[in-house]
Amino acid sequence: MDDTMAPKTRSQTPNISPFLEPGKTTKVGSLAILQLSRDNLQPVYLKVPSGKHDGYAEGAVVNTRYGSFPHSTMIGVPWGSQIRASKVDTGSRGRNNKRKRNKSDDDGKEASATVAEEKTEQESTPAEVNDDSAAVAKKIVADVSGFIHILPPTPEVWTSSLPHRTQVVYTPDYSYVLHRIRARPGSVLIEAGAGSGSFSHASVRAVYNGYPSEGERKGKVYSFEFHEQRFHKMNQELKEHNLNSLVHLTHRDVYNGGFLIDGKSPEAEAIFLDLPAPWEALHHLSRRNPKNPEDKEWVSPLNPKKSAHICTFSPCIEQVTKTVSAMRRLGWVDIDMVEIANRKYHTSRERVGLNLSMDRGVNNSARDVDEALSRLTEIEARFREHAARSKESDDEMDGDEDDGLIKRREKKEQKGGRKRGGEKKVKIDHKPDSPESFEALPSGVPMWMEGRLITRGEPEIKTHTSYLVFATLPIEWTEEDEAAAAAMHPVIGEQKVIGLVDKAARKQERREQLQKATGNRKARRMERAAELAVTAEEEVGVVVP
């Protein structure tokens, strides 16, 4: 980040982070994301327009390839607004640089005297030059072209614009990870390997259900980072984004130090490990001490009342193999590995027609069959005309051309509106940069609404970022839990358990059931025959043998 990203001094009263509730409009001191193009985003902290700043009379200015944008034009506007470029006065900026260069010259020439006079004037009027807060920013004048869009900070745009200190977990990966590890409002999540903070911002939004007060349990992220410089940079960003009360960042080697906070358990139910060797930290994420299960003093960082869901982020398959082996030894179940393949699709409108200019978004092909036939007819007419002209030229060379042929040729040229060897000129009514080009066409449809809606995918699929390994650690099932479950769901009339009967016994039991059913069917048939015989005897009076 450059100097334009230095945060404004915030008040001591806690404010809600712009990543969680940005509001409807931009504010002074808040973080904003400037969208220069589709994949070009730049974060900036909006400053108060209080006079000259860095040599600009308009105050703090963001310079891009699309123009200059003073901060005063981006404050108090709705999020997503289009900001037009402004004409910036860089004269004072150039003069200040010239003064610095002339001040370093010790040649004793006239330039030194000029610098001394200018320095005297500058010291005599400190309120105009040095005291930026006392000066008034120059009135902004819009430029003729160039614009950007100002977006609220979200984990998605922050991931695309943040300064990369390590490998970044991108949106397709962390959105799927948060879904699989059951990160929801009120959850407590452990993250090892904060890095650039991409996953930290996404996870705190997923678990956020309010800012915690004293003695109250709210959704929170416990993040650990081993690299000291990245730890300090990440800690500074969390304070600037007002997320330091929701993300507890710790500088620690989790391989040896574990995941406890001041000796106490964070009671987490979701874990994300972005480590080079995650299998070396798994023994800390257990219900009991793996080396001594009878150790009563050992404290687990997991929530004892909920199952724990974990995800490891590893770029190599060898890392995955070692991680899965360690998970199986430590009792993790439902182990699964996933690889995310992301592909973007671009949606736009395409105008089709042979009479359209070669602009962007125009397909110069026939719109329908009639237009194609019309173009073919025109080409055939040109071909016949060209053949006739070639024949006439041969006749002229032989001296056989008469006045009647010349008159017919001139008449044909006048009728066709062409000169020999030339093409008919087409007049363009709309200029690309004129305001009329953005108005409705004769068809009544705006130009940007014409054409068919098409979708094109990226030519190359961004396949591999890392392998995601998921697993679940169930809660411990004690005798007290078994008794409570039996009391809640009592077993009545059960004589045996199906799982305890062997295969031969189950077959014999099934055979007896079938024989009993067959005997019952025979008895019912005999009873039915006897009933029919009695009925017939009563009606006829004859005993049926």
Side-chain angles (χ1 to χ4, degrees):
M1 297 184 185
D2 53 11
D3 293 340
T4 60
M5 295 182 60
K8 196 68 179 177
T9 303
R10 299 178 185 270
S11 60
Q12 298 298 328
T13 57
N15 297 322
I16 298 179
S17 172
F19 283 85
L20 304 175
E21 296 182 14
K24 296 182 179 180
T25 59
T26 60
K27 300 177 182 179
V28 175
S30 64
L31 174 66
I33 308 297
L34 305 184
Q35 186 182 32
L36 309 183
S37 60
R38 179 172 180 175
D39 296 322
N40 189 2
L41 303 174
Q42 178 179 343
V44 61
Y45 286 93
L46 301 179
K47 295 184 178 181
V48 180
S50 57
K52 292 184 179 180
H53 180 274
D54 198 18
Y56 291 105
E58 291 79 6
V61 176
V62 178
N63 291 311
T64 68
R65 58 182 295 185
Y66 303 102
S68 300
F69 302 89
H71 286 208
S72 58
T73 61
M74 298 182 284
I75 297 176
V77 298
W79 292 110
S81 299
Q82 183 186 93
I83 308 299
R84 297 295 301 271
S86 302
K87 295 181 179 179
V88 176
D89 181 16
T90 58
S92 58
R93 180 181 176 88
R95 288 192 294 271
N96 290 339
N97 293 334
K98 183 177 179 181
R99 290 168 184 169
K100 294 178 181 179
R101 291 194 301 267
N102 292 337
K103 184 179 179 181
S104 62
D105 295 337
D106 296 330
D107 54 0
K109 296 183 180 180
E110 184 179 356
S112 300
T114 305
V115 172
E117 293 177 0
E118 292 180 353
K119 184 177 180 181
T120 304
E121 294 177 359
Q122 182 177 359
E123 293 176 352
S124 62
T125 58
E128 296 181 2
V129 179
N130 296 330
D131 192 2
D132 293 348
S133 61
V136 179
K138 184 179 178 180
K139 184 178 180 181
I140 304 301
V141 179
D143 208 342
V144 293
S145 62
F147 65 88
I148 59 175
H149 291 88
I150 185 167
L151 306 178
T154 62
E156 290 77 16
V157 297
W158 178 250
T159 299
S160 302
S161 62
L162 59 81
H164 289 196
R165 298 184 287 271
T166 58
Q167 181 184 6
V168 175
V169 183
Y170 288 97
T171 302
D173 289 320
Y174 69 63
S175 60
Y176 183 75
V177 169
L178 293 173
H179 167 70
R180 287 290 302 270
I181 64 176
R182 276 74 164 174
R184 61 195 64 169
S187 300
V188 177
L189 187 144
I190 288 178
E191 176 197 13
S196 299
S198 172
F199 187 83
S200 302
H201 287 76
S203 59
V204 71
R205 183 184 62 177
V207 304
Y208 171 73
N209 64 339
Y211 278 80
S213 58
E214 186 175 358
E216 185 180 10
R217 178 184 171 90
K218 294 283 188 179
K220 195 167 185 177
V221 176
Y222 291 91
S223 183
F224 298 86
E225 175 57 46
F226 172 72
H227 196 273
E228 186 175 1
Q229 293 181 355
R230 290 198 293 264
F231 163 75
H232 291 299
K233 185 61 179 177
M234 180 67 182
N235 197 20
Q236 179 185 356
E237 288 181 354
L238 292 175
K239 292 179 180 178
E240 294 171 356
H241 302 164
N242 198 28
L243 294 173
N244 54 330
S245 60
L246 299 175
V247 180
H248 188 282
L249 186 62
T250 305
H251 179 221
R252 182 186 299 172
D253 177 14
V254 295
Y255 295 151
N256 300 317
F259 301 92
L260 300 182
I261 306 299
D262 298 330
K264 298 181 180 180
S265 172
E267 296 186 356
E269 56 263 17
I271 306 102
F272 178 72
L273 302 182
D274 185 4
L275 301 172
W279 60 91
E280 295 185 5
L282 286 176
H283 64 278
H284 295 289
L285 299 170
S286 302
R287 302 289 183 185
R288 295 186 181 184
N289 190 347
K291 298 180 180 180
N292 185 12
E294 303 299 330
D295 186 3
K296 302 297 183 180
E297 297 181 357
W298 194 81
V299 180
S300 173
L302 305 179
N303 190 340
K305 299 180 180 180
K306 294 184 179 180
S307 298
H309 302 274
I310 191 174
C311 173
T312 63
F313 190 85
S314 304
C316 301
I317 196 65
E318 292 81 5
Q319 295 171 308
V320 173
T321 303
K322 294 181 179 180
T323 302
V324 171
S325 299
M327 285 180 174
R328 289 173 176 170
R329 290 195 303 268
L330 295 173
W332 293 84
V333 297
D334 296 336
I335 302 175
D336 184 22
M337 188 192 75
V338 178
E339 183 181 14
I340 303 296
N342 179 39
R343 185 179 184 183
K344 293 183 179 179
Y345 286 87
H346 176 63
T347 304
S348 61
R349 289 189 176 272
E350 185 180 60
R351 299 169 61 199
V352 182
L354 296 171
N355 58 342
L356 300 176
S357 59
M358 296 293 293
D359 295 333
R360 184 177 180 181
V362 173
N363 185 357
N364 289 100
S365 59
R367 181 181 303 174
D368 49 24
V369 177
D370 295 337
E371 188 173 8
L373 292 176
S374 176
R375 185 59 180 268
L376 290 175
T377 303
E378 182 181 355
I379 293 174
E380 291 179 359
R382 290 182 181 179
F383 179 77
R384 289 193 298 267
E385 183 180 356
H386 178 72
R389 288 177 180 174
S390 300
K391 184 176 180 181
E392 292 172 3
S393 299
D394 294 340
D395 293 341
E396 288 179 357
M397 294 177 63
D398 297 339
D400 298 334
E401 184 178 22
D402 55 359
D403 295 338
L405 182 59
I406 295 175
K407 292 180 180 179
R408 288 196 300 271
R409 184 183 63 192
E410 293 177 351
K411 185 177 181 180
K412 185 183 297 182
E413 290 178 353
Q414 293 176 1
K415 184 176 180 180
R418 296 185 178 89
K419 296 181 180 180
R420 179 176 295 182
E423 294 291 340
K424 183 178 179 180
K425 297 182 178 180
V426 181
K427 184 179 180 182
I428 300 176
D429 297 331
H430 297 278
K431 297 180 180 180
D433 296 334
S434 62
E436 291 81 2
S437 61
F438 299 101
E439 296 178 357
L441 298 176
S443 60
V445 180
M447 180 179 295
W448 58 85
M449 291 295 293
E450 275 202 341
R452 59 186 179 183
L453 199 63
I454 61 173
T455 302
R456 289 191 177 96
E458 287 181 323
E460 297 181 359
I461 300 178
K462 300 176 182 178
T463 54
H464 180 70
T465 54
S466 281
Y467 297 110
L468 306 176
V469 179
F470 298 93
T472 303
L473 186 64
I475 61 175
E476 283 190 329
W477 194 254
T478 61
E479 296 180 357
E480 292 78 7
D481 297 329
E482 182 68 25
M488 183 178 297
H489 307 284
V491 179
I492 300 176
E494 294 289 342
Q495 302 296 330
K496 56 186 177 180
V497 181
I498 296 178
L500 298 178
V501 181
D502 58 2
K503 187 176 181 180
R506 289 198 300 270
K507 285 186 176 181
Q508 180 63 28
E509 182 180 357
R510 181 60 179 168
R511 194 177 297 112
E512 293 176 357
Q513 291 177 354
L514 292 175
Q515 291 177 357
K516 184 178 181 180
T518 304
N520 293 336
R521 286 197 297 270
K522 290 181 179 180
R524 286 195 296 271
R525 284 198 299 268
M526 293 177 63
E527 292 177 359
R528 182 60 178 168
E531 293 177 357
L532 293 175
V534 173
T535 304
E537 182 180 356
E538 292 177 353
E539 293 179 353
V540 181
V542 179
V543 177
V544 179

